[in-house]
Amino acid sequence: MNLDIAVVGGGVSGAYSAWRLQQEKGADAKIALFEYSDRIGGRLYSVTMPGLPHVKAEVGGMRYIPDEHLMVAGLVDHLKIPTRDFPMGAPPPVGSNCNLFYLRGKHLRLHELADPDKVPYNLAWSERGLGPTNLQVQVMNNIYPNLGSLSLCDQMKIKVFGKPIWKYGFWDLMYRVLSNEGYQFMKDAGGYDANVANANAVTQLPATEYSDNTKFLTLRDGYDQLPLTLVRQFEQMPGGIPKDQRVQMNHRLAEIVIGPGEYPYTLIFEPTTTEDGKTEATHATAIKVYAKKVILAMPRRSLELIKSRFFENPWLKANIPSVLIQSAFKLFLAYERPWWRSLGLVAGRSVTDLPVRQIYYFGTEGEQEGGLPFMNSLLMASYNDISTVPFWKGLETGEPFQGYRPSCLEAGVREYVPKTEFPATAEMVYVANKQVAQVHALPEIPAPYSAVYHSWNEDPYGGGWHEWKANYRLDEIMCRMRKPVENEDIHIVGEAYSYGQGWVEGALDTAESTLQEFFGLKRPVWLKKNYPLMPNPCPGCGDLEGCVEFKDPGGKVLDAVTPNCLKPVEEG
């Protein structure tokens, strides 16, 4: 197969890139999308559990902020994909003040986190009376007032304790300005280890973009409907290759061979097979594809698994490791009734320092538009990352959880647990249910009738999301990573090397800016005119006038896509 552009990776950035390119390049363009597994979506993965066809278990990304994630919101509206609210407990009548925190063996409600006499942490006097988010805001303002309101360019120029703030890991910096008890309180009560991980302080310190009052949306039929819709439309567009060859599933990119000629890139794919969600190599004959240009829409670990002299480029080799790969997993349990509502818990989450960490409450099937008249409901019994993931990895082996037939399912149904890559074990479900009961101060809760578990640690993903490491100029790297080797038409897009790590917005932003900058695509009509794409306008200050320098004092033309604000800051 000879291609103008090969897009590798069937996640949201790959699906978007193929869709946009075919749409803009027209019927003669030869574009194909390649995916390692049998599933489009990448780390967007919506699972339908028995008896809950309208309440999706989102084992990957699950929501977006319409007022901030403007690319996602604009694209969803343009594609006319139905949405619904993703309530986090506020505003009333749902309410979030009653949501639970179970920390160091003590039960609290959300509003009690501001009561220093009830919080079981030996906080410094300046830290008392603040919840985890407000404590982080106070620390940020003590280091540099209103840091979160500054552009990335200005943040990169700030020095604290004698060196640029981007050279600090967040934990290293907190050691200087926060008590250990204060840091542990932020970690435990915040719910995510990643929010206080030792990632680059520039991105970690202003991590206050949302609260329990933030409005979230999700897609009515599952968040993976976004990449699925893009791929369906891509397959149906007029193009230079047959429609049934546009999307090649079960293709693992093993090697890129670079050579001369019209098609300089030989992509060597290993065929894979997927059974019950698990994808493995088949050891069948490798498939060769020839391309003029390549887009690698892949996370860091997937890139590291590709063999090619492309990755031996000194700059790329040094900067591929510039992001941390953060482990994460989710466990969903389905119950015949939402027993938690008797405790005043309707939506949002409860948080604990037990290994389950975060527990999210979802509605009943009967409450959904078009839902069946049943009270069965869904609980995300565990959403955790980094330090607590090994606890659950230790429970992955053993007898699989079988579940039981709830009253909402007809007698002929025999499969009560979805078949997935990582089947929940009976012991895992038992332990999780026991911890959930402990968080809710109940001696016993009903047994779940179904469960679904997914870990993002294994290849080819490596983790659930990425965070910038300390000591790396993330502003420079995220711009250049889109075309990391000057003389090669190989591009890297996705969430990993973006300013919106962990969000679909970051994946789309890097993809769209790459398509405009290096493939000549025009700005889409549905994207708001004031949306600051990277790097045009500048990702830091949003200003091209006075930021981009096209000539040096001697008149030599400089790289037009490297803003002054992204060039290294001299010490002193």
Side-chain angles (χ1 to χ4, degrees):
M1 180 184 287
N2 295 340
L3 297 173
D4 295 322
I5 306 167
V7 182
V8 185
V12 69
S13 61
Y16 179 80
S17 298
W19 175 78
R20 280 276 283 137
L21 285 163
Q22 195 71 73
Q23 192 177 55
E24 293 294 318
K25 294 294 185 181
D28 294 332
K30 298 178 180 179
I31 301 165
L33 175 67
F34 300 86
E35 164 57 28
Y36 159 82
S37 70
D38 70 342
R39 179 181 63 81
I40 290 295
R43 283 167 289 163
L44 296 186
Y45 187 9
S46 309
V47 178
T48 301
M49 300 177 71
L52 290 162
H54 296 88
V55 186
K56 302 297 181 181
E58 300 285 8
V59 298
M62 62 182 177
R63 57 187 175 175
Y64 65 98
I65 307 171
D67 292 339
E68 297 181 23
H69 298 157
L70 302 182
M71 274 208 73
V72 177
L75 181 59
V76 167
D77 289 346
H78 175 72
L79 296 172
K80 296 181 171 57
I81 304 176
T83 64
R84 63 176 177 84
D85 288 338
F86 188 103
M88 282 296 293
V94 174
S96 61
N97 278 344
C98 285
N99 282 15
L100 289 167
F101 285 76
Y102 181 57
L103 306 169
R104 293 184 172 176
K106 186 173 182 179
H107 290 92
L108 303 96
R109 298 283 182 164
L110 175 60
H111 65 275
E112 294 178 307
L113 289 182
D115 187 338
D117 295 326
K118 293 183 177 180
V119 173
Y121 293 81
N122 187 23
L123 302 175
W125 68 268
S126 60
E127 300 162 359
R128 292 165 61 84
L130 297 172
T133 299
N134 289 335
L135 180 56
Q136 186 162 340
V137 170
Q138 175 177 279
V139 170
M140 178 177 68
N141 287 332
N142 286 343
I143 291 174
Y144 195 95
N146 299 313
L147 177 68
S149 65
L150 298 179
S151 69
L152 176 60
C153 289
D154 289 334
Q155 288 175 355
M156 296 297 289
K157 298 172 185 175
I158 293 171
K159 285 189 175 183
V160 293
F161 304 113
K163 68 178 182 180
I165 195 170
W166 58 269
K167 291 192 173 184
Y168 284 98
F170 179 76
W171 193 1
D172 299 326
L173 185 57
M174 290 301 98
Y175 177 76
R176 292 173 172 263
V177 297
L178 198 65
S179 72
N180 187 62
E181 284 287 276
Y183 176 82
Q184 198 63 43
F185 175 56
M186 284 203 312
K187 178 180 179 180
D188 293 346
Y192 298 93
D193 287 8
N195 281 356
V196 295
N198 207 33
N200 198 301
V202 165
T203 55
Q204 291 289 81
L205 203 53
T208 55
E209 74 270 5
Y210 64 90
S211 67
D212 285 342
N213 292 307
T214 302
K215 178 180 174 60
F216 292 93
L217 289 179
T218 190
L219 303 189
R220 185 193 67 189
D221 300 318
Y223 206 176
D224 62 5
Q225 287 301 308
L226 178 55
L228 285 168
T229 300
L230 292 169
V231 169
R232 283 195 295 266
Q233 291 193 9
F234 164 64
E235 287 181 296
Q236 296 305 312
M237 291 176 187
I241 60 174
K243 293 180 179 180
D244 61 355
Q245 296 180 28
R246 301 269 181 86
V247 180
Q248 300 282 336
M249 308 299 289
N250 288 113
H251 279 57
R252 188 188 85 81
L253 180 59
E255 185 176 0
I256 303 173
V257 178
I258 302 174
E262 184 181 3
Y263 298 92
Y265 305 111
T266 301
L267 280 60
I268 301 175
F269 291 95
E270 292 181 351
T272 65
T273 183
T274 303
E275 186 174 352
D276 292 337
K278 188 173 182 62
T279 301
E280 296 178 322
T282 62
H283 306 293
T285 303
I287 300 166
K288 291 185 178 181
V289 173
Y290 305 93
K292 296 178 181 178
K293 297 182 179 183
V294 179
I295 294 178
L296 301 175
M298 308 167 80
R300 172 186 159 180
R301 180 56 186 159
S302 297
L303 296 171
E304 292 172 337
L305 293 171
I306 303 170
K307 178 183 177 182
S308 178
R309 68 176 173 84
F310 171 75
F311 292 101
E312 294 302 314
N313 172 269
W315 184 91
L316 185 55
K317 193 172 184 178
N319 288 288
I320 283 285
S322 63
V323 295
L324 297 163
I325 304 174
Q326 304 294 34
S327 58
F329 99 93
K330 290 183 178 181
L331 172 66
F332 284 85
L333 302 179
Y335 297 89
E336 290 197 73
R337 61 179 179 84
W339 51 264
W340 48 88
R341 290 190 178 179
S342 64
L343 303 175
L345 304 167
V346 179
R349 63 174 186 162
S350 289
V351 177
T352 180
D353 54 3
L354 293 177
V356 288
R357 290 295 276 137
Q358 297 183 79
I359 299 166
Y360 278 75
Y361 310 98
F362 296 91
T364 69
E365 173 64 21
E367 292 169 341
Q368 313 307 310
E369 182 180 352
L372 303 173
F374 297 114
M375 288 295 289
N376 46 309
S377 188
L378 192 62
L379 186 80
M380 182 157 53
S382 183
Y383 179 15
N384 60 40
D385 60 347
I386 309 178
S387 67
T388 48
V389 170
F391 179 91
W392 302 101
K393 299 296 287 184
L395 300 175
E396 280 186 343
T397 59
E399 290 296 317
F401 177 67
Q402 300 294 336
Y404 67 89
R405 184 177 67 84
S407 57
C408 65
L409 294 182
E410 60 271 21
V413 176
R414 294 185 178 276
E415 296 291 341
Y416 311 127
V417 178
K419 292 186 180 298
T420 59
E421 180 179 1
F422 301 97
T425 63
E427 186 178 11
M428 180 184 291
V429 172
Y430 169 79
V431 171
N433 211 45
K434 186 175 180 179
Q435 290 186 21
V436 169
Q438 193 175 353
V439 170
H440 292 84
L442 295 172
E444 190 176 15
I445 59 175
Y449 72 83
S450 187
V452 65
Y453 159 68
H454 195 86
S455 168
W456 293 102
N457 288 33
E458 282 67 32
D459 291 341
Y461 298 103
W465 58 79
H466 301 77
E467 292 183 288
W468 290 102
K469 289 181 180 179
N471 291 297
Y472 282 91
R473 285 297 304 246
L474 61 111
D475 49 355
E476 292 179 333
I477 296 168
M478 72 174 72
C479 286
R480 182 168 172 179
M481 192 61 74
R482 302 165 310 142
K483 191 179 187 296
V485 180
E486 183 179 359
N487 297 325
E488 303 293 351
D489 282 318
I490 301 177
H491 307 268
I492 295 173
V493 302
E495 159 274 337
Y497 301 95
S498 77
Y499 194 58
Q501 291 171 315
W503 295 99
V504 172
E505 188 78 359
L508 292 180
D509 182 69
T510 59
E512 179 59 37
S513 67
T514 298
L515 297 176
Q516 289 189 32
E517 187 73 30
F518 303 107
F519 290 83
L521 270 60
K522 296 179 181 178
R523 191 182 186 92
V525 295
W526 48 265
L527 183 59
K528 291 187 176 181
K529 292 182 179 180
N530 61 345
Y531 185 83
L533 277 174
M534 174 186 68
N536 185 13
C538 166
C541 63
D543 182 16
L544 274 178
E545 298 289 334
C547 186
V548 174
E549 185 175 68
F550 294 96
K551 294 183 179 180
D552 68 10
K556 180 182 177 181
V557 177
L558 299 176
D559 182 1
V561 300
T562 304
N564 287 338
C565 65
L566 300 187
K567 293 175 182 175
V569 176
E570 294 293 330
E571 286 290 344

